[in-house]
Amino acid sequence: PWYDRECIRRPKRGVSMDLDIDPQGATDLFFDSFTIKQLQHKFCSEPIWVGNLEFDVEKGEPIRLESHSNGNLKLWVQPDSNGQIPPMRYGGGADLGWGAQSTPSCLSIMNELGEKVLEFEDPSLGPNACAPFFAALCRLFKDRQGNGAKIAWEHHGPCGVAFGKKLIELGYRNFYFQT
């Protein structure tokens, strides 16, 4: 009876993921493909700027943005002539991979209006390589007081722990911390 009630209460994907421990069912789309197409048509657009970020690996500081059509950094905000991003409150979320070409390490940053302004993904970057790069990206997206974007990441497991330790070593402190 408990299982039957939970199957009614939860979405199909939640049943597969949490109750049946079914990896195949857990990877089903959260939204159906028709809904996704509608949302893409209504809200998605091509990035305004594509390129790469040159940064100081030792300090996690941005040096300069370099426009490049095959870059893995996509922006939905136009940097000024000095490569600066308009000041606003920003927040980002990261998902970390091992850097073994299987699943990408990703970062998305949104502004205070809820608009996505940055997307990055690279399957070759592990947690220790991501930390200085993501710190540099967050420092590029500053608020009016000069604080970089607040970042949150999936902290479960060794990738998240290694990333967090490296981020702290770099002196980046604007991150979400659950108490």
Side-chain angles (χ1 to χ4, degrees):
W2 175 86
Y3 179 86
D4 292 339
R5 280 194 308 274
E6 289 299 307
C7 288
I8 293 168
R9 191 177 72 81
R10 297 174 187 232
K12 182 179 175 189
R13 182 172 179 255
V15 171
S16 294
M17 188 167 51
D18 300 326
L19 301 180
D20 297 340
I21 316 301
D22 173 14
Q24 178 129 8
T27 60
D28 287 348
L29 295 174
F30 185 79
F31 295 106
D32 64 82
S33 58
F34 180 73
T35 302
I36 291 172
K37 288 290 183 198
Q38 283 183 313
L39 293 170
Q40 285 175 326
H41 179 72
K42 187 173 181 179
F43 296 110
C44 293
S45 64
E46 292 297 315
I48 295 171
W49 185 94
V50 177
N52 298 305
L53 175 69
E54 184 181 334
F55 67 103
D56 183 322
V57 178
E58 299 298 316
K59 298 178 183 174
E61 297 280 349
I63 296 173
R64 80 173 104 88
L65 288 168
E66 299 170 336
S67 182
H68 191 282
S69 60
N70 291 330
N72 54 6
L73 189 60
K74 298 175 184 173
L75 302 180
W76 283 266
V77 61
Q78 184 65 50
D80 68 17
S81 59
N82 297 320
Q84 299 298 306
I85 303 298
M88 189 179 284
R89 278 191 348 209
Y90 295 99
D95 189 13
L96 306 159
W98 279 108
Q101 302 292 332
S102 55
T103 57
S105 291
C106 308
L107 176 67
S108 288
I109 294 180
M110 297 177 69
N111 65 20
E112 64 190 37
L113 305 173
E115 301 165 330
K116 183 174 183 172
V117 293
L118 174 138
E119 175 184 295
F120 169 83
E121 67 173 300
D122 187 337
S124 67
L125 288 182
N128 287 320
C130 280
F133 184 57
F134 288 4
L137 285 170
C138 286
R139 286 176 169 138
L140 186 66
F141 284 82
K142 301 176 197 169
D143 63 17
R144 288 165 187 84
Q145 289 74 39
N147 302 307
K150 181 172 257 184
I151 186 170
W153 64 94
E154 183 181 20
H155 64 278
H156 301 291
C159 278
V161 172
F163 176 83
K165 285 177 72 174
K166 185 68 176 171
L167 202 65
I168 290 169
E169 285 174 20
L170 293 164
Y172 197 81
R173 300 288 195 271
N174 195 11
F175 55 84
Y176 175 78
F177 183 77
Q178 185 175 5
T179 56

